[in-house]
Each structure stands twice: as structure tokens, then as C-alpha cells.
Amino acid sequence: MTATTLKRFAFWLQAAGALIFLALPKLGLGAYWLDVLNMVGMYAILALSLNIILGHAGMFHMGHAAFFAVGAYTTAILNTRLKWPVFAAMPFAGIAAGLFAIAVAAPIIHLRGDYLLMVTIGIVEIVRIALVNDIFGLTGGSNGIIGIARPVLFGFRITRPQHFFYLIWGFAALSMLLFYWLEHSRYGRALKYIKEDTVAAEGMGINTDRYKLSALVVGAVWAGFVGAVYASQMRTISPGSFNFWESVIMFMIVILGGSGNQKGVLLGAFLVVGLPELFRDLQSARMLVFGAALVMMMIFRPQGLIPPKPRNYTLPESLAGKYP
Amino acid sequence: MEVFIQQLTNGLAVGGIYALIALGYTMVYGIMKLINFAHGELFALGAYLGFTVLVSFGLSGNVGTGAAILITGALVMGFSALAGYLLEFAAYRPLGESDRLSAVVSALGASIFFQNAIMLVWGARYRAYPADLLPNVTLGFAGQDIPLIRAAVLAASVVIMLLLYFFINRTRMGMAIRASAIDQGAAKLMGIDVRRVIVIVFLVGPALGGLAGVMVGVYYGQINFNMGQLYGLKAFTAAIIGGIGNIPGAMIGGILLGLVEAFGAAYLSLAWRDAITFCVLIVILVVRPTGILRERVAEKL
């Protein structure tokens, strides 16, 4: 079997897998497991957006739950106070998260890796404390906001788990496609360069601070969108859902799966969010296992389970043979 | 004035505790240029070990107060040092000279592991320290009644810091630690066993952190399995304020942060107390990332 047939075979295998996956609700999967898959999908999208920041730009960002929270609360406030439909509020959720990212990250974007990590943890805590303290009298304190409406798409009201399944995984597929294009653009290459060698990137004329900030904003906007979906699926949000551990879970998905690779991130989401559901009795020990797994991974396979492949470029016909 | 004096003494006592934890961050950073994320969890572990020693072994009540405190302190320091050694052995040493992200993620994993291990062993609810450990008397200071416990915590942290200062500046091992912090390569050429220095640092730092955990338990009367994260972040802030890698800086930074927090809670808002600390961290890193006494190593942040 030649390499091309093998590649084609792998492609069709993946396509068939995706089709079977999409047919799962029709194949009689229970509501409980659909909810689990919805959760996996939501975290997968969050991790895909974090992947731009952590996997491509190489910034140790552990405050993603803060942007997720801003998106969810923006949606909830617009929906319950102004009666906006969820899908109308969604763009504003993204914009709010993006603006928040610019405001908090612009002064700290130049910090070296581990310092950035500490500061972003601090930002998550500040956001959570602000939400608990009912900031601006809008967030409802530690009880949160209740009674968020279900999303309505072209007159169809999305209520049941299987409806959300298609909404979330459709959104995940769209995110993968868009982020794939982003990765393979001039912009994505610049981010990779910054990750590999910031000084050299700056020497090549890349404005590293601006690229890093824009990567953070792209990730934040996307997390804000997911926040909107989350708010309308849960119908009730409270500060407890946006704590430090949510950020840790997103971080782990990207690192364990393979930072910089979408397939790795998807696998990570299934492992970190989905797998513990299979072992419900061991629920309390799951973080213990993940902590140990992180240490082991860093010792034996620091690049993650499915690391990104090195890029190949084919030479143009005219140059073939001239350069080895 | 009453609020001022009470918050001043409270801030000094809490600041002393922060300083003890911050010393662990700063010593490890000085040698390895690495933020030991799991340090906060070692502190929490110390608090729980102290709880077990005091309550389960029935120390309080059976022996005198002074003896109980000394035994608890010594045992907790010993066990915390052991935990620190295990951490270095399992999570940092195998990494060798790999890149920074690996070390950070490994430290994070160790931190998650420790926190959940504490939760599984001691349970997720609050645990109460014995309240009758120190006699419930007050001391007069500037016309105010100050609880004895507050003075005791401050005195203990000052004594420990003086001992550490002596160890770092007056002994051969301390000189080796200082030399390794300035230039590891040159220290090796001078015949210093840097591996051993790293082990010593991972013994001393967690021992101080564990002791700080016991002090928190005694001071506030209760401990929680996830307190390591909050105190760790605060102590890291203290280390940054003083200039990370700088040992006197960590002491000053800890005391300063304790005071800022106490006065912030009293005069601004109690509910926003922790947020004030994190804002201080961000402001310091933006305005003066090298800290008050400057980071010991000249490296761009």
C-alpha cells in the first residue's frame, strides 16, 4: 500500500467516524450521555480557542475561565434584563470578552512565561470575586443569574440535549475549520515563530507584543461565544462555575492532548472531560490521577499525546531536482 | 485609632506568615530560576500534618503548651521537608535541562496531585484546630488589647526568619546557596555540589512553608484543603514585591503584603480583600517587575 492510499484510507476512516458520531443521537444514545458529549464539545471549543494562545503563541495563559465567564454573564444579563434573544446577545458576549482581554492583558502581555501564568490565575480570581460581590449590581452575587432563555435558531427553539448536541458540535466543527485556516495563514506562522524564538521573531520584524495580544483576544472572543452557549444551555449561571479549576481543566486538555494540534486537543477533551464519566465511582480521585498524569507526561512525553506534525512543503516543478 | 492598631498588629502577624511561605518560593527561584507552583500545597500539607499531630495524637492537653508547640513544629517541619524532597525527586529532577514549559506544567501537576491527595486523606470540609492551645489572654499595646496568639505568631515568624538569615549569611552551606544563586556554573567550578544545594533548598523552603501552615491553623483556628492555592498565590505576590530570588526581599514583601491586605480589608472592603492582593501583584509586575529590593538575577521579565 502506498503512502497516498494509506492517507486516503485514513481520511475516509475519519470521515466515517465523524458521520457515526453525528448520528449518535439518532442511534438511541441516552440523554445523560448526550449531555456528557455536549460538555466534552463545549470544553473542546474552549480548548481549541486556548490552543491559539497556549499552543500556537506559546503563552502560559491559565485565565481562560475569566473570558468564558465574561461571555456567559454578558449573555445572561442581556437576555434576562433586556430580553435579547441568545443568538443576538452572542456577538456581544464575544465582544465583551475581547474588550475585557484587551483591558487586562495589554499591560501584562510582555511578561515572561511563568509570571504570565501567575498573573492570569490572579485575573480569574479577581473576576470570580467581582461576580460574587455583585459588581455593578448586575451579576446577582453568589447565587448568579437564573432564568436565561433557550436559544432560538430560525424559529426553532433549541431545548433538548440532542438539539444542543448538533448546535455545540456544529460550532466545534466551525471553530476547527476557522482555526485551521488561521493556523495556516501568515498570522499563524508568525505566532509559531514567536513560540519557537521570540527574539528571532522580533528580529524578523514581527511585532511580538501585538501578535501575542491579538492571539489572546481571538481566544477570548471565542471563549465568550462558548460562554453564551453555556449560559443558554444551563439556564442558570453562578460564579462557582468559573473558578480556577475550569481554567486548569482547559489548560490540561491542551497540554495533554498535544498543544498546537487540533486532533490532540479533541482527544484531550474526550480524555479529561469524557473519560471520568465512565468511572463515576472514582470521580473524587480524578484530579489526583490527572495531576500525576501531567507530571508523567512532562517526564516521558512533554510534547503531548498527538503533537503537531512538522510542516512539509512541496517544491515547485521548476526547482525539483535542483535542491535536495 | 483602635481599628488602626488592631489591623497593624494583625497585618504584621499575617505578613510574617506570608513571608515564611514566600521564602520557599524565592529560595527555589534563586537557585533553579523556576517558580515552584506546588509550594502552596506543601504549605497546606504542613497545616494538615500539624492538625493530625495536635488532635489525633492528642498532644494538646497531655503535654504542656510549650512542649506541644515545639513537638508539633519540629514534626511538621520534618515531614514537610520530606515532602519537598519527594517533590523535587519525582517532579523536577527527571526533567533535567528541558524547557520552561515542561517544568511549569510538571509543577502544576504536582500541585494538583498534592491538593487532591490532601482532600482524599483529610476530607473536603473545614478542619478546626484545637482552640485551647494558647491561653486566651490579651496583651496591652498602645492602649489596645492584642490577643496573645497574634504576638506569638509574629514573634515565631521573626525568630525563624532571623535563624534563616543567620543560616544563609553565616554558614558554609548558606554561602554555597548564595553562590549557586548568583552563578551555578561558577559555583560548580569552585567545588560546590549544586545538586546538594538544590536538595537543601527543597528541604528548607517546604519546612518553612509547612510551619507557616501550622501557624495559619493556630491563628485562624481552621484549615481547608484548597487553602494552599490562595496562600501560595499571595506568598508569590510577596516574593515578587520583595524581588524574587532575594531572601531579605521576601521577608519585607511578606510583611508589606500583610499590612496592605489588613488595611485594605479594614478601610476599603472586606469582601474584596483577596482581589486587592491580586491587583497588587499585577501592578507590581507592570510597574516594577524586579521588586523593591530588585530580583537577584539580572534577567528580563
Side-chain angles (χ1 to χ4, degrees):
Chain A
M1 209 188 300
T2 61
T4 14
T5 34
L6 201 66
K7 231 177 194 170
R8 204 167 289 160
F9 179 69
F11 172 78
W12 286 111
L13 200 68
Q14 283 177 18
L19 272 181
I20 292 174
F21 183 76
L22 282 179
L24 277 177
K26 301 285 172 212
L27 298 176
L29 197 72
Y32 174 76
W33 287 105
L34 280 178
D35 271 332
V36 170
L37 286 180
N38 290 346
M39 216 60 200
V40 171
M42 203 112 68
Y43 276 103
I45 308 170
L46 285 170
L48 284 170
S49 66
L50 180 62
N51 187 32
I52 295 292
I53 305 168
L54 174 65
H56 290 290
M59 297 155 69
F60 299 177
H61 167 55
M62 212 186 277
H64 220 49
F67 305 140
F68 180 43
V70 170
Y73 268 87
T74 307
T75 310
I77 291 166
L78 288 176
N79 180 261
T80 54
R81 304 245 166 181
L82 304 177
K83 304 292 169 214
W84 287 23
V86 168
F87 282 118
M90 199 165 159
F92 291 91
I95 291 170
L99 289 177
F100 178 72
I102 293 175
V104 296
I108 57 164
I109 202 77
H110 62 279
L111 289 174
R112 202 179 57 205
D114 25 14
Y115 290 84
L116 190 71
L117 187 57
M118 280 293 192
V119 173
T120 49
I121 294 173
I123 289 172
V124 180
E125 282 298 303
I126 292 176
V127 167
R128 195 185 57 81
I129 293 167
L131 294 175
V132 169
N133 287 332
D134 200 3
I135 190 168
F136 312 131
L138 287 172
T139 66
S142 47
N143 294 328
I145 299 177
I146 53 169
I148 302 154
R150 295 293 196 187
V152 179
L153 196 61
F154 304 121
F156 180 79
R157 199 152 163 274
I158 297 171
T159 49
R160 301 167 65 82
Q162 57 262 45
H163 303 161
F164 273 103
F165 178 84
Y166 290 113
L167 174 68
I168 289 170
W169 284 99
F171 187 24
L174 179 71
S175 313
M176 287 180 80
L177 184 67
L178 291 177
F179 286 145
Y180 180 84
W181 284 340
L182 193 70
E183 278 166 30
H184 290 80
S185 66
R186 180 193 162 87
Y187 180 81
R189 284 198 301 276
L191 290 186
K192 275 220 173 92
Y193 202 175
I194 291 173
K195 181 188 179 184
E196 298 302 335
D197 193 332
T198 313
V199 177
E202 204 151 354
M204 283 292 151
I206 295 171
N207 186 341
T208 50
D209 278 1
R210 183 172 298 173
Y211 269 91
K212 279 180 178 176
L213 185 62
S214 63
L216 196 80
V217 170
V218 168
V221 168
W222 222 254
F225 290 155
V226 185
V229 175
Y230 176 82
S232 68
Q233 194 204 6
M234 289 294 152
R235 310 202 62 195
T236 302
I237 53 172
S238 65
S241 315
F242 307 100
N243 60 24
F244 165 69
W245 288 106
E246 298 303 312
S247 298
V248 172
I249 288 173
M250 296 174 210
F251 196 87
M252 280 200 303
I253 290 173
V254 175
I255 294 287
L256 279 180
S259 56
N261 185 331
Q262 293 192 335
K263 280 175 198 155
V265 171
L266 270 188
L267 177 69
F270 274 99
L271 285 181
V272 176
V273 183
L275 195 63
E277 296 293 335
L278 288 175
F279 306 101
R280 282 210 70 88
D281 299 340
L282 301 172
Q283 188 77 352
S284 54
R286 79 168 186 161
M287 290 307 273
L288 188 84
V289 173
F290 281 130
L294 273 184
V295 176
M296 303 293 267
M297 285 287 291
M298 286 307 113
I299 294 169
F300 297 111
R301 200 176 163 83
Q303 69 274 39
L305 290 174
I306 314 180
K309 274 184 238 152
R311 261 190 228 181
N312 288 319
Y313 295 96
T314 33
L315 278 175
E317 283 291 319
S318 56
L319 291 176
K322 284 186 184 164
Y323 297 94
Chain B
M1 194 61 193
E2 185 189 342
V3 174
F4 179 80
I5 295 289
Q6 292 291 348
Q7 289 306 331
L8 177 72
T9 50
N10 179 33
L12 285 174
V14 176
I17 295 174
Y18 289 160
L20 285 186
I21 314 170
L23 283 168
Y25 278 111
T26 227
M27 285 172 75
V28 168
Y29 186 90
I31 309 287
M32 298 179 75
K33 308 287 171 281
L34 154 84
I35 299 172
N36 178 12
F37 280 95
H39 188 62
E41 311 308 330
L42 293 176
F43 150 85
L45 184 68
Y48 273 91
L49 288 172
F51 168 79
T52 298
V53 171
L54 277 173
V55 177
S56 310
F57 291 4
L59 267 187
S60 67
N62 284 333
V63 292
T65 304
I69 289 173
L70 278 182
I71 294 172
T72 310
L75 277 177
V76 167
M77 284 179 86
F79 280 120
S80 302
L82 185 67
Y85 176 76
L86 289 177
L87 171 73
E88 198 269 335
F89 180 77
Y92 293 132
R93 195 178 300 182
L95 294 179
E97 296 289 313
S98 52
D99 66 349
R100 221 186 195 102
L101 179 66
S102 302
V104 168
V105 176
S106 182
L108 179 77
S111 151
I112 296 169
F113 179 84
F114 271 117
Q115 181 170 343
N116 285 277
I118 292 173
M119 188 189 79
L120 290 175
V121 172
W122 280 283
R125 63 198 169 90
Y126 280 87
R127 291 290 183 154
Y129 258 56
D132 54 351
L133 197 63
L134 282 180
N136 194 8
V137 294
T138 55
L139 306 170
F141 173 74
Q144 299 295 324
D145 289 336
I146 307 298
L148 173 66
I149 182 91
R150 209 177 274 175
V153 163
L154 178 60
S157 54
V158 169
V159 168
I160 300 278
M161 282 192 266
L162 286 177
L163 284 176
L164 182 78
Y165 196 77
F166 177 81
F167 171 67
I168 295 290
N169 285 298
R170 292 282 184 276
T171 62
R172 274 181 78 81
M173 197 65 225
M175 198 194 284
I177 292 176
R178 280 180 292 144
S180 312
I182 293 166
D183 189 333
Q184 275 203 24
K188 273 183 195 153
L189 290 176
M190 292 294 123
I192 295 172
D193 184 354
V194 175
R195 274 245 52 89
R196 218 174 103 217
V197 169
I198 292 175
V199 170
I200 294 285
V201 163
F202 266 98
L203 290 174
V204 174
L208 296 180
L211 195 67
V214 177
M215 282 158 73
V216 164
V218 173
Y219 192 63
Y220 289 110
Q222 59 176 16
I223 51 177
N224 187 0
F225 78 98
N226 59 16
M227 68 186 203
Q229 182 206 329
L230 186 64
Y231 276 87
L233 202 49
K234 285 181 177 177
F236 173 77
T237 308
I240 289 280
I241 292 176
I244 193 148
N246 188 322
I247 289 173
M251 301 178 184
I252 295 173
I255 299 280
L256 264 181
L257 186 68
L259 289 174
V260 166
E261 210 179 275
F263 288 127
Y267 293 113
L268 293 175
S269 163
L270 181 62
W272 288 83
R273 191 183 69 171
D274 298 340
I276 293 171
T277 309
F278 302 136
C279 288
V280 169
L281 172 65
I282 294 172
V283 169
I284 283 276
L285 279 175
V286 170
V287 179
R288 195 180 166 89
T290 48
I292 297 172
L293 296 187
R294 298 213 155 264
E295 187 180 9
R296 263 275 269 287
V297 275
E299 198 178 351
K300 190 173 170 256
L301 286 189

